[in-house]
Amino acid sequence: SFPETHGITFRIQISVKELLDTDVLLKLLFHLPVNYPSTLPDISVNSDQLTRAQCMDVKDKLLEQAKKHLSEPMVHDLILWIQQHLKYVIKQSATVCDEKTTLSKGTSTEDDIWMLLLHLDHMRAKAKYVKTVEKWASDLRLTGRLMFMGKIILILLQGDRSNIKEYLILQKTSKVDVDSSGKKCKEKMISVLCETKVQSQHKRFQTFEVKEFSTLDELQKEFETAGLRTLFSEFVPPLLK
């Protein structure tokens, strides 16, 4: 550790209940300079469940928060803050998917079912687009929903992880829609909201269906029926803004 003249350093490990109930273990290192708290602490962040970029995001956000507490002891507040806000910080950089658990559980089929939630900006050639999505889902043995509500278009898929990856490639590289002048075009405006392992509390979709909803409540019920309330509240309301 640093000599006394350099202030003090302490390590903290906290476990944060994350998106879709994965626990994220954060290892935080705070180094408090001699003139803390009128000087910001040095912070380092590590976690096996997060990418380096996500750890950097967490560190940056913690330092932003620290500035608001300058000249008052802040470490405790920072820890509380990151416990409450970790999922928002991470969501901005991508959904957490813990690779290691997938590999260690062996290859029993139930463990290797993945789920993908996509958001499409628009469909000009809707009928053709819908047919294409249905065909891909059936070719790749994926189940789930293509959901329309107002301007929101969501595709929720479940299936074998490699087939889900394959689907994403098709979705991004095939000419699925038409542009404003009617020419066939690739899907440019698609965002992957979430890609994760199907957990035991999630219900498995037996089929792939296209559904239209007239209210957000109806759409929410569809997610809740599938045990995906968290997924809904995490990713869908922000799309309405």
Side-chain angles (χ1 to χ4, degrees), residues 55-67:
C55 287
M56 290 299 291
D57 282 346
V58 170
K59 176 184 163 172
D60 293 344
K61 289 284 187 292
L62 279 169
L63 286 169
E64 264 173 47
Q65 284 304 309
K67 286 180 185 141

Side-chain angles (χ1 to χ4, degrees), residues 17-229:
K17 266 274 179 257
E18 216 349 271
L19 300 179
L20 308 160
D21 302 330
T22 323
D23 283 28
V24 171
L25 192 64
L26 277 188
K27 298 171 191 143
L28 303 174
L29 189 66
F30 290 91
H31 174 59
L32 310 182
V34 183
N35 41 3
Y36 167 87
S38 46
T39 317
L40 291 181
D42 282 322
I43 304 175
S44 82
V45 178
N46 281 298
S47 171
D48 294 341
Q49 286 88 5
L50 304 183
T51 60
R52 291 215 23 197
Q54 286 172 329
C55 287
M56 290 299 291
D57 282 346
V58 170
K59 176 184 163 172
D60 293 344
K61 289 284 187 292
L62 279 169
L63 286 169
E64 264 173 47
Q65 284 304 309
K67 286 180 185 141
K68 298 179 185 169
H69 291 285
L70 207 52
S71 78
E72 54 189 83
M74 63 185 84
V75 172
H76 181 66
D77 289 327
L78 293 178
I79 291 166
L80 289 178
W81 185 86
I82 198 62
Q83 280 175 306
Q84 288 160 359
H85 294 83
L86 180 66
K87 60 180 172 196
Y88 306 109
V89 174
I90 289 171
K91 196 178 97 186
Q92 279 150 7
S93 41
T95 308
V96 185
C97 293
D98 190 345
E99 295 285 346
K100 287 201 274 295
T101 53
T102 325
L103 298 172
S104 61
K105 283 193 184 156
T107 52
S108 88
T109 49
E110 201 53 21
D111 281 340
D112 293 324
I113 300 301
W114 278 68
M115 181 161 61
L116 180 69
L117 181 62
L118 299 173
H119 174 236
L120 296 180
D121 190 66
H122 59 268
M123 281 186 184
R124 286 200 176 87
K126 184 170 168 181
K128 174 180 173 292
Y129 204 133
V130 168
K131 270 207 170 51
T132 307
V133 170
E134 287 179 312
K135 180 179 184 321
W136 289 340
S138 116
D139 290 351
L140 293 165
R141 298 192 302 284
L142 299 175
T143 59
R145 299 285 182 266
L146 168 54
M147 299 171 279
F148 295 93
M149 196 227 67
K151 289 205 157 80
I152 294 181
I153 307 168
L154 296 169
I155 302 177
L156 181 61
L157 296 168
Q158 290 179 346
D160 189 81
R161 189 175 191 191
S162 55
N163 291 356
I164 289 231
K165 294 259 181 253
E166 187 64 31
Y167 178 93
L168 262 179
I169 294 167
L170 283 169
Q171 178 81 58
K172 287 177 173 164
T173 56
S174 311
K175 294 192 170 175
V176 279
D177 206 2
V178 295
D179 62 18
S180 50
S181 62
K183 280 216 291 290
K184 287 184 175 180
C185 66
K186 290 180 187 168
E187 180 57 72
K188 297 276 194 303
M189 307 285 284
I190 185 167
S191 45
V192 176
L193 298 178
C194 171
E195 183 181 347
T196 184
K197 249 171 86 109
V198 170
Q199 311 289 329
S200 52
Q201 74 271 24
H202 303 150
K203 304 240 186 340
R204 294 287 311 282
F205 290 113
Q206 299 307 314
T207 53
F208 183 79
E209 291 174 40
V210 180
K211 292 195 162 186
E212 306 252 353
F213 302 93
S214 45
T215 65
L216 194 61
D217 281 350
E218 289 177 11
L219 182 59
Q220 183 165 355
K221 284 204 181 73
E222 183 73 17
F223 274 80
E224 285 178 356
T225 313
L228 300 173
R229 171 189 293 239

